[in-house]
Amino acid sequence: MDIRAVNTLSYEEFVDIFGNVVERCPLIAAAVWSRRPFSTFPDLEASIAEFIDNLPVSGQKGILRCHPDLAGRDLFSGSLTPESRGEQTQAGLASLTPAEESRMRRLNAEYKDRFGFPFVICARMNDRESIVQRLSERLGSDPAEELRRAVEEVKKICHLRLRDIASRPRDRNKL
C-alpha cells in the first residue's frame, strides 16, 4: 500500500487497517486520520508518535495496559491479536519450557505490581533470552523512566507494524 492510497481511505477503512498499529488502540488511528494527507509513511508514524507523546501520563499508561503479558495466558489461549501472536511466536515465546513459562509469569506479575502496566518490549527486535533479561533489568527502573522506556517500545512496535502495512498490496475487497 502506498501513501497515496492511505490518504484516500475513508475513516472506517483507515481505522480498520491502522487500528492495531498501537496494540488494541484504534482510538489512536481514529485521532490521526484527521491529520491527512500524510506525505510518507514516516510522516504517518510521526503523527502517531506525536499523539502518544502529547497524551497525559494516564493516557500513556492506558496504552501500555492494552498490551498483553509476554508469554502470558493470552498467547496460550489464542486470544492475542494476530500481530501480537506473530511477534511473540517469532521471538520464541510460544515455545518456552514449563520452567521458563513459570519465570515469565512471576516476572510479569512483579513488573505489573511495581509499575501498574504490563512489561512492553518490541518482541520482534529481541529473542526470548533478551526479553527475559530486559524484563529482569527493568524491574529495577525508576517508574518515570520505565514509563518513558515502555512508550518508546510501543513506538518501535508501531514502526514495524506500519512497515508491514506499507509492504502489503491494497485490496479494497478485503477491507
Side-chain angles (χ1 to χ4, degrees), residues 75-109:
L75 174 62
F76 300 107
S77 71
S79 60
L80 288 177
T81 64
E83 295 89 350
S84 285
R85 183 176 49 254
E87 291 158 356
Q88 289 198 36
T89 299
Q90 180 182 332
L93 297 175
S95 57
L96 297 176
T97 66
E100 290 170 325
E101 283 182 42
S102 177
R103 182 172 186 211
M104 281 297 293
R105 269 194 308 278
R106 182 181 52 78
L107 290 171
N108 279 325

Side-chain angles (χ1 to χ4, degrees), residues 19-118:
N20 203 48
V21 294
V22 177
E23 184 74 14
R24 298 186 191 268
C25 290
L27 180 63
I28 294 174
V32 300
W33 178 81
S34 64
R35 297 181 181 187
R36 293 170 311 126
F38 303 105
S39 57
T40 60
F41 265 89
D43 183 32
L44 169 57
E45 183 177 348
S47 290
I48 293 169
E50 180 184 355
F51 180 85
I52 293 169
D53 289 341
N54 288 327
L55 287 171
V57 167
S58 61
Q60 291 178 344
K61 287 181 178 181
I63 287 171
L64 297 173
R65 287 185 192 111
C66 290
H67 284 261
D69 286 344
L70 294 173
R73 70 173 176 252
D74 290 336
L75 174 62
F76 300 107
S77 71
S79 60
L80 288 177
T81 64
E83 295 89 350
S84 285
R85 183 176 49 254
E87 291 158 356
Q88 289 198 36
T89 299
Q90 180 182 332
L93 297 175
S95 57
L96 297 176
T97 66
E100 290 170 325
E101 283 182 42
S102 177
R103 182 172 186 211
M104 281 297 293
R105 269 194 308 278
R106 182 181 52 78
L107 290 171
N108 279 325
E110 287 177 31
Y111 185 94
K112 273 201 274 197
D113 286 346
R114 176 156 166 72
F115 299 110
F117 50 82

